Amino acid sequence: MHLWGVAMEQTIGEELRKTPLHALHLDLGARLVSFAGYHMPVQFAGVKEEHLWTRAHAGLFDVSHMGPCFISLTGRKLSGQEAHLAISAEVERLVPSSISSLAPGRARLTVLLDEGGGILDDLIITRPAEPELQGTLYIVVNGAVKHQDWALFAQGLSSDVSIQRADDRALIALQGPQAAAVLEGILPDCAALRFMQCQRLAWQGQVVWCSRCGYTGEDGFELLVPQDLAIPFAEALLADDRVRPVGLGARDSLRLEAGLCLYGQDLDTSRTPVEADLSWVIQRARRDRGDFPGADRILQQIATEPELKRVGIQPLDRAPARQGTEIQLSGRRIGMVTSGGFSPSLERPIAMGYIESDFAEPGTEISLLVRGRLREARVCALPFLQPNYHR
Amino acid sequence: MTTYYTEDHEWISVEGELATVGISTYAAEQLGDVVFVEVPEVGTSFGKGDDMAVVESVKAASDVYAPVTGDIVESNSALEDTPESVNEDPEGEGWFVKIALKDPAELSKLMDAAAYKAFCANQ
């Protein structure tokens, strides 16, 4: 059998970047793999164990491979709401969400679109809470495409908008029902935040950007921490018995249970937000104005129905249906699985994928072609597990 | 009864012209929690190195190769309901198939337990 991708990678290329937590991963006995250009922990104690721990307690994830950045107005003498509206107008040229309507300290999921309405990336945009930071947006893009995203920002935004990368810092996620109780021990003010809110907090005299969000369906936080504080900060969290380190393997199974998309698998330029069942990221004001890339096609799809739609898929036997599995009905191909695996929480396989809209209704019986053999499955609603957000 | 190992981490335990095949303890540990196993039907023939079975962890599916040429005379269908026995007892209860050997000479190219242990230590 093949163990690559499973066993420790044999060749660690010199070009692989290390996150500020790399030495800690080695100390913790992580199994490391190459991911998005970084040397990343795929698992510590084991995918299933880490997954279930996060659902019951709190998991600590290193997501420093992602692309945190700040974009700011530099040339214009604006402040407060005026400054926010000006920077929002810049970014709204690239995304279909309403950024101008974000309240201070609020974050929103959105997508970067190409001219055809295809998804270039999904990202979180935050309006800082602090009055002195109006005119700046804190943005986190995906690691695998961060360089092209930043190139797109540089090209698509006005010349007096600066882009400051922050991917030299550590981005640490603490996720799970006990995450808030743990984090309050070292950042007491985090307790005031609700889901999709963000505040800058101080730890050991330095700024930590604390966002109450995540990629697991659990309550939790993503923390942007200065490089030199990364290991002490992670160690302060890990000192709590309720926290264990979690690798990318469990991160993937957790997000799949939560019905969340992985860019490059469930989202790419061949999909629009409507097909991806992400129309909700396009607020009414933006639909009315129709002033975002690919608006014609996207508004048309909202008005009628796209040919394909992203749905949940419930295999009816024990065989996982992985990415690329063909979906059939009466011998005809009607779609494809884009993410699939085994759900440790539900102890059965789960999947999501794109299917012809006529068959997208939950309960529709379909077949999955797994290694040449048709297996029964059913379309189902997403997510597989109800989220546990602190709203 | 002699047990041999392949560089692809299958074990093959031979008695006369009948061999029992599974994945090694090392491979099972590397895989982590096995959540699904697909074994071939009785009567199927395989050449040495052919994809013979599939073992899946939470994270990924891995092919298991036929360590020798032969015909499947028995499959461990219990693994469909209890894939975890691959983790619990990989070189016992967690066996995959029994193969009628076509070419016993192929066995001489495989490793014995000591050689395999050394091989894994270098992985």
Side-chain angles (χ1 to χ4, degrees):
Chain A
M1 59 177 297
H2 260 306
L3 284 176
W4 44 257
V6 176
M8 172 96 76
E9 297 232 327
Q10 295 302 301
T11 48
I12 306 298
E14 291 296 318
E15 72 282 2
L16 279 186
R17 284 184 66 181
K18 291 173 180 165
T19 76
L21 295 180
H22 186 260
L24 181 62
H25 300 322
L26 295 178
D27 285 349
L28 292 169
R31 185 178 293 171
L32 296 160
V33 297
S34 145
F35 185 81
Y38 285 79
H39 200 197
M40 296 294 288
V42 66
Q43 69 172 68
F44 295 85
V47 175
K48 198 166 161 183
E49 197 177 320
E50 293 163 30
H51 179 116
L52 296 173
W53 184 268
T54 305
R55 289 267 180 256
H57 306 284
L60 180 124
F61 303 72
D62 181 7
V63 292
S64 309
H65 63 291
M66 295 189 71
C69 66
F70 298 92
I71 63 165
S72 314
L73 291 174
T74 53
R76 289 173 246 183
K77 297 267 178 275
L78 298 173
S79 61
Q81 178 69 3
E82 244 188 339
H84 176 67
L85 292 178
I87 193 73
S88 297
E90 291 285 338
V91 176
E92 287 184 3
R93 292 208 293 266
L94 306 175
V95 304
S97 303
S98 174
I99 305 305
S100 60
S101 65
L102 272 177
R106 298 288 183 133
R108 185 163 270 172
L109 175 75
T110 188
V111 286
L112 273 179
L113 295 174
D114 67 20
E115 285 307 314
I119 301 172
L120 292 161
D121 197 4
D122 62 324
L123 59 159
I124 304 266
I125 299 186
T126 303
R127 176 181 182 178
E130 296 73 15
E132 69 277 16
L133 287 177
Q134 300 306 304
T136 290
L137 296 172
Y138 167 40
I139 300 180
V140 180
V141 302
N142 273 298
V145 287
K146 63 186 177 183
H147 298 289
Q148 69 194 56
D149 287 0
W150 289 328
L152 185 77
F153 291 167
Q155 191 189 0
L157 304 175
S158 300
S159 56
D160 65 346
V161 174
S162 76
I163 304 157
Q164 185 204 342
R165 287 171 57 167
D167 63 335
D168 57 328
R169 305 184 205 181
L171 192 61
I172 296 170
L174 187 69
Q175 301 278 298
Q178 294 176 329
V182 170
L183 191 62
E184 276 175 46
I186 65 168
L187 292 174
D189 291 344
C190 77
L193 296 173
R194 293 189 168 269
F195 182 59
M196 298 304 273
Q197 292 186 354
C198 173
Q199 203 181 341
R200 296 196 317 160
L201 301 175
W203 195 70
Q204 298 197 352
Q206 295 199 56
V207 169
V208 171
W209 285 77
C210 178
S211 304
R212 197 157 195 166
C213 64
Y215 194 46
T216 59
E218 295 295 332
D219 182 23
F221 301 85
E222 287 186 359
L223 302 133
L224 185 67
V225 181
Q227 197 178 98
D228 55 330
L229 286 187
I231 288 184
F233 186 84
E235 283 176 338
L237 293 171
L238 287 166
D240 192 308
D241 287 344
R242 294 168 289 187
V243 181
R244 288 189 187 169
V246 180
L248 294 173
R251 188 167 187 254
D252 190 50
S253 54
L254 287 159
R255 68 93 192 167
L256 181 56
E257 286 182 348
L260 300 170
C261 294
L262 173 59
Y263 191 80
Q265 275 184 213
D266 308 302
L267 305 177
D268 58 39
T269 52
S270 75
R271 315 287 183 191
T272 69
V274 187
E275 293 161 5
D277 199 20
L278 295 175
S279 301
W280 59 272
V281 308
I282 313 172
Q283 283 77 27
R284 171 61 57 193
R286 299 302 310 275
R287 294 184 193 192
D288 291 347
R289 297 210 308 266
D291 58 349
F292 49 85
D296 289 351
R297 179 168 171 221
I298 286 171
L299 294 174
Q300 176 68 33
Q301 285 186 339
I302 290 175
T304 55
E305 191 161 41
E307 202 176 314
L308 295 165
K309 253 194 207 164
R310 183 173 64 94
V311 296
I313 296 159
Q314 180 54 67
L316 298 184
D317 61 17
R318 292 188 61 124
R322 308 279 177 181
Q323 177 189 15
T325 300
E326 188 173 314
I327 305 171
Q328 290 193 359
L329 191 71
S330 314
R332 190 171 72 82
R333 180 195 171 106
I334 58 163
M336 196 178 78
V337 171
T338 50
S339 283
F342 184 84
S343 159
S345 303
L346 302 170
E347 297 189 306
R348 53 178 170 79
I350 55 173
M352 66 165 99
Y354 286 80
I355 195 167
E356 291 178 12
S357 295
D358 289 348
F359 309 108
E361 198 58 37
T364 307
E365 289 180 7
I366 54 175
S367 300
L368 301 172
L369 188 61
V370 179
R371 290 180 291 271
R373 187 157 139 197
L374 284 175
R375 291 180 177 271
E376 287 178 22
R378 207 174 277 148
V379 175
C380 66
L382 291 171
F384 294 96
L385 283 188
Q386 285 314 305
N388 185 26
Y389 301 135
H390 183 70
R391 292 192 190 272
Chain B
M1 192 173 74
T2 316
T3 302
Y4 304 89
Y5 294 85
T6 71
E7 292 190 356
D8 297 313
H9 307 284
E10 290 92 15
W11 58 265
I12 170 165
S13 187
V14 183
E15 236 178 330
E17 298 202 336
L18 187 66
T20 307
V21 175
I23 65 166
S24 71
T25 304
Y26 173 84
E29 279 168 6
Q30 293 293 319
L31 273 177
D33 300 293
V34 172
V35 298
F36 182 73
V37 176
E38 190 173 292
V39 288
E41 285 174 25
V42 171
T44 324
S45 299
F46 292 97
K48 180 181 162 73
D50 289 352
D51 292 351
M52 181 185 74
V54 174
V55 55
E56 303 207 26
S57 65
V58 174
K59 200 159 66 70
S62 306
D63 291 321
V64 177
Y65 308 120
V68 290
T69 304
D71 302 328
I72 305 297
V73 295
E74 197 179 339
S75 284
N76 187 1
S77 51
L79 293 181
E80 279 174 32
D81 292 321
T82 55
E84 59 274 16
S85 44
V86 176
N87 295 112
E88 287 160 6
D89 190 11
E91 304 195 23
E93 288 284 301
W95 64 278
F96 279 45
V97 292
K98 294 185 178 172
I99 300 179
L101 299 180
K102 280 259 175 62
D103 180 10
E106 287 174 342
L107 295 170
S108 64
K109 305 241 171 62
L110 303 177
M111 290 176 274
D112 64 13
Y116 178 66
K117 198 177 166 194
F119 173 77
C120 289
N122 286 322
Q123 291 291 293

